[in-house]
Amino acid sequence: MLKKRDDFEDMLEERRNSSDLRYALRCYTPLLYRGVTPCTSSSLKSMVLQSDHIHYVINQVSKEMGRDTDDVQEEASAILEEMAQHLQLSTVRFFAFTLSKIFKTLFKSICVNEEGIQRLQQAIQEHPVVLLPSHRSYMDFLLMSYILYTYDLALPVIAAGMDFMGMKIVGEMLRMSGAFFIRRSFGGDKLYWAVFSEYVKTMLRNGFAPIEFFLEGTRSRTSKSLTPKLGLLNIVLDPFFKGEVFDINVVPVSISYERILEEALYARELLGVPKPKESTSALFKARKVLSEDYGSIHVYFGQPVSVRSLAHGRVNRCQFNLRPRHIPKRPREDIHNFVNDSAYRLVRAQEENMALKPWVLLATLLLQNQAVGQNQVMALDELSEQAVWLRDLSWQYGAFLLWPDNTPPSEVVFSSLSLHHGLVRISEGRVQLALEQERRAGPGEPSCNLTPEEGLLSEAVIILSCASYRNQGLHIFVRPALLASAILTASSNKKQEVFNSFSFLRNMFSNEFILCPGATVQDFEEACYLLVKTGALQVTQQEFLVTERGHRTVAFLASMLDPFLQGYQVVCRFLCEEATETLTEKQFIPAVRKFIIKHLLAGRLRYTEVLSSDLQKNTLAALLRLGAVRKIKGAEQEALKVNKVMVNSLEDTLGGKLPTQETVVARL
Amino acid sequence: MAFSSIGGSPDRQRVAQERLKIIARHLQRPGDGDSAIVAAECKAQGSKSDASSERRTVPRRRQEIMKWNGWGYSDSRFLFNKKGQAEFTGKRYRLSGMIIPALKDWMESTFGASMQHKTSATPVLNTSAVQPPNLNDAFVEELKSTGIPFSCDAEDRTFRSHGHCLHEIFALREGKFGRVPDMVVWPSCHNDVVKIVELACKHNVCLIPYGGGTSVSSALECPREETRSIISLDTSQMNRILWIDEKNLTAHVEAGIVGQDLERLLNESGYCTGHEPDSMEFSSLGGWVATRASGMKKNIYGNIEDLIIHIKMVTPQGVIEKSCQGPRMSTGPDIYHFIMGSEGTLGVVTEVTMKIRPMPEYQKYGSVVFPNFEQGVACLREVAKQRCAPASIRLMDNEQFKFGHALKPQVSSIFTSFLDGLKKFYITKFKGFDPNRLCVATLLFEGDREKVLQHEKQVYDIAAKFGGLAAGEDNGQRGYMLTFVIAYLRDLGMDYYVIGESFETSVPWDRVLDICRNVKARIVRECKEKGVQFPPLSTCRVTQTYDAGACVYFYFAFNYRGLSNPIHVYEQVEHAAREEILANGGSLSHHHGVGKLRKEWMRETVSSVGMGMLKSVKDYVDPHNIFGNRNLL
Ligand SMILES: Cc1cc2nc3c(=O)[nH]c(=O)nc-3n(C[C@H](O)[C@H](O)[C@H](O)COP(=O)(O)OP(=O)(O)OC[C@H]3O[C@@H](n4cnc5c(N)ncnc54)[C@H](O)[C@@H]3O)c2cc1C
């Protein structure tokens, strides 16, 4: 199942050998979209404000609110002012220079698949391009622009969250390097939506620049891909549906960091230690990160996806024939489903090309080992042996794992561990997670000063950091892991039972992992195929049989899922035991966290990882989706209404105490 | 303004005269019928009103003047002469006998065609390859007794087995014949038709009305599944103007008359209908009604539905017509709208009363060059908005503009290559226009002199607002002159592995640019995907303007060398292009009709209920499917 993937080139190499200044000032002449209508950032704005769409919405808003049209018009132009990018080559050159300096100190290498760059260059000339990078770090979009500048490709305009605007100068700098800013929430604000969508569409239709945004909506704090957000994707696909462009090339980009700059920050955030506000001064404090080694970055530009081909036979574009195209309309269900499916496909395309480092495997193994007993120590040899076993398994499952050739495994393991010296401790040929160390906190602060809760949380920081690396490889294993768990929990080996179990788990976890909606059968078949192919499973007419040598694989896969199973169960338990009539969504996370801490300290839970608020939120989302919890409009806030019978039975089913009766499965 | 080039030609009448001459020159008194044809003259009501009506273009035996496997008159064709120069033969057209020096270059550079690679058509119609007629003896017997002429000759039948779709002509060139009608009958008046239809019903044979045979929708193709005897009802001998009413400005005409005869005869009395589809040399009044045809000058005269005052049609249920000639009626849904566009599925249109107009005093051509297609479309839109469209206004895209130049006949003896000529043209005239983006609109004004000049100024003023520069009368005139010879060009292409076709749609104004871009791009993409080895020609023009939209023509051609089944590839691409048109808000057809070629999209076009309505009319009017060409539904 080895997929053909392009080779990487290190783009920092040249930076280390030639002048950064000359590089930043060099002649930059990218090839543009051949249908481009050249225009400036400011004439773009007037095109937007003069568009039929905006005119229509302005009139509509002014009628509905009884406001003067001039007044609304002014508001529209203020919104646009706040939003618009102001791409300037000089700023880009400035970044090219400074980033060169910074990148060279932070990273060993920045590796890019140059064939992907060539494909992108082709794609940019043919049709408007949408760039969809994965989002794991603030670095992502600067890095993207940096790469495109380096390879003489058209610079993108980038949809960025408003939070950057808190940092005055940086915000403006980013704006001048192509960022445009969107408010995080603008709920029912018609005018805002209109200006925003028209702005993006105008840039796309004119081929002004490639449009870049993050399908996941926000940085993933867990390194798992997030359920895609559809808003912007809907907007950029609309010109195709309406025939305003012939086609759009969508290019998924997978950016993987060997070490994530925000590693500990994310862990703290997930544990509820408030995140520092993004302010310019905080960024400067971040200077201490500059002294660390962050390994290498791998950026893989995926195959451009033609929206036209994607939509072929799925979307009937005639539906837009009967009303003027500028009058906004909620997308019909077929469009919605198509956009949703496409979003999942694109996120999966990102996942597939995410280059993985050996450390991802090590983190997986160390976490599993840690969970067996309280922070077990592991011999390095043992770890190497397991890593090689897991490496081979991952490759068989199609992972894009970069494992150095011609290097003894022990060396590979050792150098990976050293890069992540903050997370592991090695002594006398043995390794363990660096939990104790963290407990000793800063110099001069004796560990006894920590309360048990504080101690737990600081351990959790290490564990969640490790988990985020394990999560990078989760997409490789998730389908087989669901099957493995299903085999272990199903009440018999019967195919149908296993499938029921699988489909229950898959459904339960569809807010947790990237599982394309409606693809249960495909996923099941894929999982079966992988397990059978690797000799872990035999399938007869009616039954599944785990082979002798398959036990190790199945056990490994099932434990991959265990922390999640336990997390979902404990959230269910919380809802059954402690949810009050007035529990709101806001109170949910702190309350469930308190509950979990209590149980962890009492030693009733195996996985510290369940402290992750991400997991807790996903559980709640799943329960809401399944109707086990509902939101009830209260006087001031929406309260969560828990169907305790259902939640209880879901918990039991997750724990394997209840069989996945057909009825449960059917209902879900 | 910079319109000095306009008033250049002093002799404006000349142009109008010239145009008439072109049409008149097509006339040729056909030889008398072959002995195989049973001659019988229709004793029509009233004697023939004017002497000239004896001179008719279309003889019963079309083979005497027309090609059996290509477009138009046998004597007129494009070919490359011994010097390798393109030449147009014959004497009928203004281009006849002329050398077209740039055409070779253009064909080579546009299609990658080469003079070395020629595929000649089968030279003669091999009658033994035509399947023998499947006759209904009882019907033949009774028909004989009516004295209406008919023929079972293989040539006659083959001529009526097709229209002018690419696949139809391509097959003929290869000497391949599918199902052909089993017999041809030539009624010469309404009553003949009544008799034929009665007999057809009585003996259950299938009738297919045949007008000028210019259909481009597979409408004339015999359905494969038809097992009955198929009779082609050729209306060409029903070709008289029965009367002219100068008080009401109407003429009552037999439906088989072809466009050029109708205009010529009316012109003799000082009138015209103004209905000039590009196929008017050969297409018939009945065909226009049956397909909802559209003429080049519809802006002044209207489309066929605007020109019709009265229709008489013979159906299996009897004759349908209205009882008066009121100019408008509120009497329920207009029954003529069941007839117009019925594509020969309900009956035979036999007589039509049509509006006529006094011949225009003055005609003037013109042309405008725009920096790009977008500006051109914007200008046409504005012209439509101000409702000041000239008799005709057509906007060519850049490729068609170049094509137009490639067809310039030789004027000087110095040979210049096509591209040299073009370059010189841009440099001298349109500085600052990108030769690969500019496009041209051709114009035709008609009316009294004063008004034409006024009108002209108005249109050129609008054009200037969109960056349009006047490019002279010649360019315009040549554009319109070419409309009659362009159809001949496809045959030349086919001699050199180039196949192509045009197809049309109508679309709201706000969609025009999008549809043009997307359909052209779709064609290019599909060709690539289907393995076409050479880049195709994929171009368009806007040919008609309306208040709410425009008619757009696409021209698509490619060099098929290296393909094993070029027609299949062609059809797949055209199919995809049509899907693209529909997805972009275009109609299934503006005037070519549905026939069998576009039938599959009828339901989505008119909805299921709409289909049901049409079907129920068919079921009532023709329950036994006598008019069994299976078009439309
Ligand atoms: C080069 C070229 C240019 C063209 N340009 C134009 C154009 O500018 N505008 C335009 O509208 N079309 C154009 N056409 C299409 C074609 O000329 C029209 O559809 C025309 O109306 C067909 O008339 P016809 O007499 O040739 O009919 P035919 O091709 O003989 O028949 C067409 C259909 O009408 C039916 N029919 C014919 N006569 C009768 C009758 N008397 N009663 C009942 N049914 C009948 C036939 O059964 C058939 O289904 C063009 C075609 C070509 C090849």
Side-chain angles (χ1 to χ4, degrees):
Chain A
M1 188 127 163
L2 266 179
K3 292 200 177 96
K4 175 86 193 81
R5 292 189 177 91
D6 308 336
D7 294 333
F8 286 108
E9 295 292 329
D10 175 13
M11 60 183 277
L12 282 189
E13 202 175 294
E14 204 191 317
R15 291 283 41 73
R16 296 194 203 276
N17 298 324
S18 64
S19 151
D20 287 336
L21 192 61
R22 199 170 318 134
Y23 157 77
L25 295 176
R26 72 183 224 281
C27 157
Y28 165 76
T29 47
L31 288 167
L32 301 176
Y33 170 49
R34 44 156 208 239
V36 68
T37 335
C39 66
T40 62
S41 297
S42 58
S43 63
L44 251 178
K45 286 190 218 166
S46 53
M47 278 165 91
V48 172
L49 292 175
Q50 278 155 25
S51 67
D52 295 338
H53 177 196
I54 298 300
H55 271 290
Y56 179 88
V57 174
I58 285 176
N59 282 330
Q60 196 184 28
V61 169
S62 95
K63 255 186 221 135
E64 279 170 11
M65 323 270 276
R67 284 170 57 188
D68 202 57
T69 47
D70 290 345
D71 189 36
V72 185
Q73 168 89 43
E74 240 163 66
E75 189 188 332
S77 83
I79 292 172
L80 189 56
E81 229 27 71
E82 173 194 274
M83 181 180 320
Q85 49 77 25
H86 192 75
L87 188 56
Q88 276 184 343
L89 193 55
S90 55
T91 314
V92 174
R93 290 188 191 285
F94 167 79
F95 271 115
F97 180 76
T98 35
L99 287 177
S100 291
K101 298 282 180 222
I102 295 174
F103 285 161
K104 279 188 284 188
T105 45
L106 284 179
F107 303 108
K108 275 211 265 304
S109 58
I110 298 178
C111 300
V112 178
N113 65 325
E114 293 190 347
E115 282 163 69
I117 294 281
Q118 279 157 23
R119 287 192 297 258
L120 175 61
Q121 179 161 38
Q122 190 65 34
I124 285 176
Q125 290 170 69
E126 280 170 1
H127 304 292
V129 161
V130 174
L131 289 167
L132 298 178
S134 58
H135 203 10
R136 303 288 176 268
S137 168
Y138 275 143
M139 295 294 338
D140 292 329
F141 86 70
L142 287 175
L143 178 64
M144 282 290 288
S145 298
Y146 183 78
I147 295 172
L148 297 186
Y149 171 80
T150 305
Y151 287 99
D152 222 20
L153 292 180
L155 290 167
V157 289
I158 308 114
M162 225 29 187
D163 15 6
F164 279 112
M165 290 304 287
M167 313 178 250
K168 263 276 153 55
I169 306 165
V170 175
E172 284 314 306
M173 292 279 286
L174 295 179
R175 198 193 281 284
M176 288 189 285
S177 61
F180 60 95
F181 297 98
I182 311 158
R183 296 180 193 159
R184 278 278 171 222
S185 64
F186 42 90
D189 190 339
K190 257 187 214 168
L191 189 65
Y192 192 87
W193 177 259
V195 173
F196 165 46
S197 59
E198 190 57 35
Y199 181 60
V200 175
K201 285 192 249 183
T202 306
M203 292 191 288
L204 184 105
R205 283 190 290 246
N206 295 343
F208 178 83
I211 307 230
E212 176 180 315
F213 64 92
F214 300 105
L215 255 184
E216 299 164 285
T218 177
R219 291 171 299 154
S220 166
R221 271 66 166 172
T222 59
S223 284
K224 263 187 306 143
S225 296
L226 304 179
T227 304
K229 305 279 178 296
L230 303 186
L232 255 161
L233 192 61
N234 258 314
I235 292 176
V236 296
L237 297 189
D238 192 64
F240 168 74
F241 296 142
K242 293 185 175 161
E244 293 162 344
V245 295
F246 178 71
D247 200 353
I248 298 169
N249 280 323
V250 180
V251 183
V253 183
S254 315
I255 308 176
S256 60
Y257 295 89
E258 190 166 14
R259 249 189 94 184
I260 294 173
L261 292 165
E262 293 99 325
E263 176 186 284
L265 227 60
Y266 288 159
R268 290 210 183 85
E269 203 182 306
L270 290 170
L271 291 166
V273 185
K275 84 166 177 182
K277 229 184 145 35
E278 275 117 5
S279 63
T280 311
S281 60
L283 254 198
F284 284 118
K285 272 193 209 124
R287 272 182 60 176
K288 94 166 209 289
V289 297
L290 288 179
S291 54
E292 286 271 341
D293 176 5
Y294 285 87
S296 45
I297 305 176
H298 284 81
V299 184
Y300 195 96
F301 288 83
Q303 197 72 42
V305 178
S306 146
V307 172
R308 177 172 278 268
S309 314
L310 213 55
H312 184 79
R314 294 218 39 195
V315 172
N316 183 354
R317 287 180 285 150
C318 293
Q319 64 187 281
F320 298 102
N321 289 349
L322 294 179
R323 58 191 265 151
R325 289 173 292 173
H326 66 265
I327 299 182
K329 190 182 170 218
R330 190 173 264 288
R332 236 169 53 171
E333 197 171 309
D334 58 337
I335 297 276
H336 174 84
N337 291 341
F338 168 73
V339 174
N340 194 35
D341 288 357
S342 306
Y344 272 88
R345 276 178 72 156
L346 291 162
V347 173
R348 275 200 74 181
Q350 287 175 353
E351 286 185 336
E352 272 169 19
N353 291 327
M354 199 68 101
L356 303 181
K357 289 304 182 51
W359 164 247
V360 170
L361 306 184
L362 302 181
T364 309
L365 293 165
L366 287 169
L367 276 172
Q368 284 199 4
N369 186 59
Q370 187 267 341
V372 175
Q374 271 308 307
N375 201 20
Q376 284 228 332
V377 186
M378 200 180 195
L380 273 173
D381 296 346
E382 165 77 5
L383 183 60
S384 298
E385 185 276 325
Q386 290 195 19
V388 168
W389 173 82
L390 186 52
R391 175 196 69 186
D392 296 343
L393 187 70
S394 331
W395 274 338
Q396 284 181 310
Y397 286 4
F400 190 13
L401 174 66
L402 305 175
W403 185 286
D405 296 328
N406 313 322
T407 315
S410 58
E411 233 168 82
V412 174
V413 168
F414 192 79
S415 75
S416 300
L417 293 175
S418 339
L419 188 73
H420 297 274
H421 55 81
L423 299 177
V424 289
R425 229 183 25 224
I426 309 171
S427 63
E428 295 156 13
R430 290 164 0 143
V431 59
Q432 67 186 133
L433 294 183
L435 304 180
E436 315 292 328
Q437 188 185 35
E438 203 39 35
R439 208 169 269 186
R440 253 183 255 114
E445 264 179 281
S447 61
C448 57
N449 277 4
L450 291 177
T451 63
E453 186 177 326
E454 283 166 339
L456 177 65
L457 285 176
S458 69
E459 264 183 42
V461 169
I462 301 294
I463 289 185
L464 286 186
S465 300
C466 279
S468 80
Y469 291 102
R470 175 205 60 201
N471 287 347
Q472 288 187 3
L474 211 50
H475 63 276
I476 315 287
F477 300 110
V478 67
R479 277 154 268 267
L482 287 167
L483 180 58
S485 286
I487 290 172
L488 296 184
T489 51
S491 48
S492 79
N493 283 342
K494 292 236 168 58
K495 252 185 183 171
Q496 187 59 45
E497 300 245 13
V498 173
F499 176 77
N500 289 347
S501 230
F502 176 90
S503 108
F504 167 79
L505 288 172
R506 185 186 179 281
N507 190 7
M508 207 60 215
F509 286 129
S510 60
N511 294 72
E512 192 71 45
F513 311 119
I514 298 301
L515 298 162
C516 302
T520 310
V521 175
Q522 283 112 290
D523 282 350
F524 185 69
E525 280 169 358
E526 186 185 324
C528 291
Y529 169 78
L530 290 175
L531 283 179
V532 170
K533 190 187 80 155
T534 51
L537 194 67
Q538 277 174 354
V539 186
T540 65
Q541 207 69 38
Q542 298 293 332
E543 295 201 327
F544 284 128
L545 205 76
V546 178
T547 62
E548 196 56 43
R549 66 196 180 103
H551 284 294
R552 182 177 183 183
T553 313
V554 170
F556 164 80
L557 290 170
S559 11
M560 220 45 203
L561 226 46
D562 272 346
F564 298 95
L565 278 167
Q566 187 167 75
Y568 277 50
Q569 286 175 67
V570 71
V571 173
C572 288
R573 179 95 48 83
F574 161 78
L575 288 171
C576 290
E577 287 179 13
E578 304 214 342
T580 59
E581 286 296 304
T582 54
L583 179 72
T584 63
E585 211 173 343
K586 238 197 189 143
Q587 298 159 343
F588 167 76
I589 293 290
V592 80
R593 179 179 294 134
K594 218 169 114 199
F595 182 82
I596 291 175
I597 288 175
K598 192 176 75 194
H599 282 268
L600 274 170
L601 288 174
R604 278 194 292 265
L605 293 171
R606 176 183 280 182
Y607 295 101
T608 316
E609 223 187 305
V610 301
L611 271 171
S612 159
S613 61
D614 179 69
L615 186 143
Q616 295 150 10
K617 278 182 201 149
N618 290 340
T619 313
L620 181 62
L623 294 173
L624 283 164
R625 171 170 50 84
L626 298 173
V629 176
R630 262 177 303 157
K631 286 187 195 174
I632 304 288
K633 275 240 168 354
E636 284 181 12
Q637 272 190 316
E638 280 186 330
L640 297 173
K641 173 127 178 53
V642 181
N643 176 340
K644 294 198 174 164
V645 178
M646 194 170 166
V647 171
N648 201 25
S649 101
L650 285 171
E651 184 200 343
D652 287 349
T653 317
L654 281 167
K657 283 189 223 148
L658 274 183
T660 44
Q661 300 121 327
E662 306 242 2
T663 48
V664 178
V665 177
R667 186 149 36 99
L668 297 182
Chain B
M1 296 264 76
F3 296 134
S4 51
S5 60
I6 299 167
S9 155
D11 181 12
R12 288 177 182 98
Q13 297 289 15
R14 193 204 74 214
V15 178
Q17 233 91 74
E18 206 75 65
R19 202 177 156 74
L20 291 178
K21 255 189 261 156
I22 297 170
I23 296 169
R25 243 187 266 157
H26 304 162
L27 290 175
Q28 221 179 36
R29 203 190 158 87
D32 274 336
D34 181 79
S35 56
I37 298 168
V38 183
E41 210 45 70
C42 181
K43 299 288 164 270
Q45 60 278 58
S47 60
K48 291 185 178 176
S49 48
D50 57 336
S52 58
S53 67
E54 294 297 331
R55 296 185 285 131
R56 288 295 187 269
T57 304
V58 187
R60 276 183 210 141
R61 288 182 60 80
R62 302 172 75 84
Q63 46 272 51
E64 284 160 9
I65 58 162
M66 280 182 233
K67 297 194 189 83
W68 66 278
N69 60 358
W71 177 254
Y73 297 107
S74 308
D75 56 21
S76 302
R77 63 165 64 243
F78 283 98
L79 50 76
F80 287 107
N81 63 22
K82 292 203 182 75
K83 287 191 203 150
Q85 291 172 315
E87 183 183 325
F88 191 58
T89 64
K91 296 194 184 70
R92 295 173 188 272
Y93 302 89
R94 281 192 58 189
L95 205 62
S96 298
M98 292 201 195
I99 301 286
I100 304 113
L103 187 57
K104 177 163 165 268
D105 252 25
W106 181 81
M107 272 184 64
E108 287 173 345
S109 64
T110 307
F111 297 109
S114 136
M115 298 306 117
Q116 269 73 59
H117 295 101
K118 201 173 171 195
T119 55
S120 304
T122 315
V124 284
L125 199 164
N126 174 8
T127 48
S128 61
V130 179
Q131 62 189 184
N134 159 29
L135 295 174
N136 179 319
D137 297 332
F139 173 80
V140 177
E141 271 319 299
E142 282 207 54
L143 185 64
K144 261 188 194 147
S145 69
T146 62
I148 300 170
F150 65 89
S151 160
C152 300
D153 170 68
E155 275 193 10
D156 288 333
R157 289 158 51 221
T158 305
F159 260 81
R160 279 134 191 109
S161 66
H162 65 86
H164 281 271
C165 288
L166 174 69
H167 68 267
E168 294 172 314
I169 301 300
F170 195 87
L172 292 175
R173 286 172 59 93
E174 307 235 287
K176 293 192 185 127
F177 312 104
R179 177 89 156 93
V180 306
D182 300 299
M183 179 195 264
V184 182
V185 291
W186 287 274
S188 19
C189 62
H190 173 80
N191 287 340
D192 282 358
V193 176
V194 172
K195 282 181 217 156
I196 295 167
V197 172
E198 269 171 19
L199 289 181
C201 292
K202 182 169 166 197
H203 298 287
N204 192 26
V205 299
C206 171
L207 289 180
I208 299 186
Y210 180 91
T214 64
S215 159
V216 279
S217 61
S218 302
L220 292 169
E221 257 174 25
C222 299
R224 262 170 227 275
E225 61 271 41
E226 182 58 71
T227 53
R228 297 172 297 182
S229 183
I230 300 180
I231 317 298
S232 177
L233 190 154
D234 184 333
T235 60
S236 64
Q237 306 310 304
M238 309 198 305
N239 52 23
R240 293 164 301 175
I241 294 177
L242 297 176
W243 46 254
I244 291 175
D245 176 347
E246 297 183 272
K247 296 234 167 58
N248 295 307
L249 286 179
T250 56
H252 191 65
V253 188
E254 287 183 317
I257 194 165
V258 293
Q260 58 167 311
D261 289 352
L262 178 61
E263 288 308 287
R264 177 175 47 77
L265 296 176
L266 287 175
N267 287 173
E268 285 170 8
S269 317
Y271 295 103
C272 67
T273 64
H275 183 67
E276 297 186 9
D278 292 357
S279 59
M280 70 175 289
E281 292 169 280
F282 305 105
S283 59
S284 71
L285 172 54
W288 302 336
V289 171
T291 58
R292 295 182 65 90
S294 169
M296 177 181 93
K297 299 194 290 195
K298 73 94 194 154
N299 292 335
I300 295 185
Y301 301 95
N303 286 317
I304 196 73
E305 67 273 18
D306 309 307
L307 288 162
I308 295 300
I309 295 293
H310 186 268
I311 304 176
K312 204 192 271 185
M313 177 165 82
V314 182
T315 79
Q317 289 285 12
V319 174
I320 175 173
E321 62 181 321
K322 288 188 198 169
S323 65
C324 69
Q325 309 220 20
R328 181 179 188 275
M329 304 182 198
S330 174
T331 50
D334 191 337
I335 55 165
Y336 291 158
H337 282 290
F338 290 122
I339 298 173
M340 285 188 278
S342 60
E343 304 193 354
T345 60
L346 298 178
V348 186
V349 176
T350 54
E351 289 172 15
V352 175
T353 309
M354 244 184 134
K355 294 185 200 169
I356 55 172
R357 301 287 306 163
M359 282 176 71
E361 166 193 315
Y362 187 65
Q363 267 192 330
K364 188 168 181 190
Y365 293 95
S367 65
V368 182
V369 172
F370 292 97
N372 56 47
F373 192 64
E374 289 76 9
Q375 297 278 74
V377 170
C379 171
L380 262 62
R381 204 280 160 266
E382 184 60 27
V383 166
K385 197 185 223 165
Q386 297 192 21
R387 292 197 169 165
C388 63
S392 168
I393 176 165
R394 290 175 174 176
L395 180 73
M396 264 66 90
D397 71 1
N398 183 264
E399 287 80 10
Q400 293 213 4
F401 167 71
K402 290 178 179 167
F403 171 53
H405 268 262
L407 284 174
K408 254 188 174 165
Q410 188 167 38
V411 275
S412 70
S413 55
I414 312 147
F415 178 79
T416 50
S417 89
F418 159 62
L419 287 173
D420 285 349
L422 263 187
K423 244 182 246 149
K424 206 171 285 165
F425 179 76
Y426 305 129
I427 290 166
T428 50
K429 281 213 166 145
F430 301 104
K431 289 191 203 108
F433 282 27
D434 178 349
N436 291 312
R437 297 199 66 201
L438 60 76
C439 75
V440 63
T442 57
L443 310 168
L444 170 62
F445 297 91
E446 239 180 60
D448 60 66
R449 190 161 188 275
E450 204 73 342
K451 283 213 184 102
V452 162
L453 294 178
Q454 224 178 314
H455 193 177
E456 187 184 34
K457 178 165 172 6
Q458 186 185 9
V459 172
Y460 280 94
D461 283 350
I462 293 173
K465 288 205 190 93
F466 296 89
L469 293 179
E473 272 180 277
D474 287 354
N475 282 314
Q477 191 178 357
R478 199 178 53 247
Y480 288 102
M481 181 192 79
L482 287 176
T483 54
F484 292 124
V485 299
I486 254 166
Y488 287 96
L489 205 60
R490 185 170 76 184
D491 295 334
L492 178 73
M494 282 199 270
D495 287 341
Y496 294 92
Y497 288 93
V498 174
I499 51 176
E501 181 95 280
S502 62
F503 41 89
E504 43 73 18
T505 186
S506 55
V507 64
W509 278 116
D510 71 316
R511 294 270 196 170
V512 171
L513 284 176
D514 290 331
I515 207 170
C516 290
R517 177 198 340 99
N518 292 349
V519 174
K520 289 199 286 186
R522 178 76 181 264
I523 288 171
V524 172
R525 179 178 282 199
E526 293 287 332
C527 280
K528 208 173 184 182
E529 282 175 13
K530 302 286 179 303
V532 176
Q533 312 275 310
F534 300 85
L537 175 73
S538 173
T539 102
C540 70
R541 54 161 85 171
V542 180
T543 60
Q544 292 289 8
T545 63
Y546 292 89
D547 286 352
C551 168
V552 177
Y553 253 91
F554 295 96
Y555 292 75
F556 157 44
F558 63 90
N559 182 336
Y560 67 84
R561 258 166 52 217
L563 295 183
S564 58
N565 194 346
I567 290 302
H568 182 62
V569 170
Y570 169 79
E571 283 173 348
Q572 284 180 312
V573 179
E574 187 187 325
H575 188 273
R578 183 58 62 181
E579 300 255 90
E580 191 64 32
I581 287 173
L582 299 176
N584 282 275
S587 65
L588 190 52
S589 169
H590 168 264
H591 59 265
H592 281 167
V594 175
K596 288 179 273 293
L597 193 60
R598 286 174 276 273
K599 230 163 101 154
E600 68 183 279
W601 291 289
M602 260 308 264
R603 186 173 296 275
E604 67 184 84
T605 298
V606 302
S607 80
S608 288
V609 180
M611 280 294 270
M613 287 168 98
L614 295 178
K615 253 182 106 66
S616 63
V617 170
K618 167 76 179 173
D619 289 346
Y620 171 76
V621 174
D622 184 18
H624 302 297
N625 196 28
I626 297 303
F627 290 91
N629 59 18
R630 297 188 197 242
N631 292 334
L632 215 52
L633 295 178

